[in-house]
C-alpha cells in the first residue's frame, strides 16, 4: 500500500472538519467571530495545500520512485518520473492545472502563497518608545471563504478519485 495515501486522506478529512465549524447560514461575522472564521478558513487552506503536496508524493510512490518523500512540487514530480523513464498523465494534469491561472488548483496555491506575503512594512509611530511596525497585507483579489474552500476540496477529491482509479501501481 502506498504510504502517502492515508496521509492525503487525513489532510482532506482535517480540512473538511475545519470547514464544518463554519456555519454558512450565519450573517457575516464581525470582531472575534470574524477572526475565528478567518482562522478556520486559513487552517483549512493549510490542510488542503498539505494534502496536495502529499498527493504529489503519493503519485511518485505509486510509480515506484524510490525517493518519493523528496517531492515538493509538480516540477520535482515530473523530473523524478522522467529520471525513472516514466511520464504519468497524472503529473502532467497537475502541472497543467497549476499553470492555468483560472483553475481551482492555481487559485488554491495562490491563496496559500498570499498568506505569507507582506506588501510593505512602515513604522507606525516614529515617536513611540517601542518599535511598532505596521504590516500591510497584500490585497486579496479572492476573499477566503468556507464556500470557496469547500469547492476546492470537492474539486481536489474528484481529481484524486479519478486519478487513483487510473493509476496503475508499477
Amino acid at each position: 500500500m502506498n504510504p502517502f495515501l492515508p496521509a492525503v486522506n487525513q489532510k482532506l478529512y482535517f480540512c473538511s472538519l475545519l470547514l464544518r465549524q463554519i456555519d454558512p447560514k450565519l450573517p457575516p461575522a464581525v470582531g472575534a467571530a470574524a477572526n475565528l472564521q478567518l482562522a478556520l478558513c486559513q487552517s483549512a487552506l493549510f490542510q488542503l495545500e498539505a494534502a496536495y503536496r502529499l498527493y504529489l508524493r503519493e503519485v511518485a510512490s505509486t510509480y515506484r520512485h524510490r525517493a518519493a518523500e523528496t517531492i515538493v512540487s509538480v516540477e520535482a514530480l515530473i523530473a523524478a518520473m522522467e529520471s525513472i523513464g516514466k511520464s504519468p498523465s497524472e503529473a502532467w494534469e497537475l502541472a497543467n492545472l497549476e499553470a492555468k491561472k483560472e483553475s481551482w488548483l492555481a487559485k488554491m496555491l495562490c491563496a496559500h502563497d498570499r498568506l505569507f506575503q507582506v506588501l510593505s512594512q512602515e513604522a507606525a509611530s516614529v515617536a513611540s518608545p517601542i518599535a511598532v511596525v505596521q504590516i500591510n497585507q497584500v490585497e486579496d483579489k479572492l476573499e477566503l471563504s468556507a464556500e470557496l474552500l469547500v469547492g476546492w476540496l470537492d474539486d481536489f477529491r474528484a481529481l484524486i478519485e479519478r486519478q487513483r482509479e487510473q493509476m496503475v501501481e508499477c
Side-chain angles (χ1 to χ4, degrees):
M1 179 180 189
N2 191 317
F4 295 100
L5 188 142
V8 170
N9 290 344
Q10 179 191 56
K11 295 301 178 193
L12 294 174
Y13 175 68
F14 287 170
C15 177
S16 179
L17 278 178
L18 288 163
L19 292 173
R20 279 189 239 147
Q21 301 304 309
I22 302 171
D23 187 351
K25 296 173 190 149
L26 292 176
V30 294
N35 287 334
L36 177 60
Q37 285 186 4
L38 181 58
L40 288 167
C41 284
Q42 288 184 3
S43 297
L45 180 57
F46 276 106
Q47 294 295 325
L48 199 53
E49 197 272 345
Y52 175 65
R53 300 298 171 195
L54 288 165
Y55 184 65
L56 295 173
R57 294 173 180 186
E58 179 185 328
V59 172
S61 182
T62 299
Y63 285 95
R64 304 255 183 205
H65 190 273
R66 292 180 190 230
E69 67 280 351
T70 65
I71 306 298
V72 295
S73 67
V74 73
E75 293 83 7
L77 173 62
I78 291 169
M81 294 293 90
E82 288 174 351
S83 76
I84 60 172
K86 298 185 179 175
S87 182
S89 62
E90 296 85 3
W92 289 105
E93 180 181 6
L94 294 168
N96 288 334
L97 281 171
E98 272 196 36
K100 194 184 294 183
K101 291 190 187 315
E102 65 275 358
S103 77
W104 67 268
L105 182 57
K107 289 178 182 177
M108 187 263 298
L109 293 173
C110 182
H112 180 267
D113 290 346
R114 266 188 268 131
L115 294 178
F116 296 98
Q117 293 177 352
V118 176
L119 184 60
S120 67
Q121 295 183 359
E122 300 171 358
S125 173
V126 178
S128 175
I130 57 174
V132 178
V133 177
Q134 180 176 346
I135 307 291
N136 296 320
Q137 293 291 333
V138 173
E139 282 192 32
D140 289 342
K141 293 178 185 171
L142 187 64
E143 190 168 322
L144 214 49
S145 69
E147 182 179 63
L148 180 64
L149 287 158
V150 166
W152 291 343
L153 177 61
D154 291 344
D155 289 341
F156 191 31
R157 281 184 171 151
L159 177 135
I160 288 173
E161 280 182 34
R162 182 176 41 77
Q163 286 192 349
R164 283 179 178 166
E165 287 176 7
Q166 296 173 351
M167 273 191 278
V168 177
E169 237 182 274
C170 303

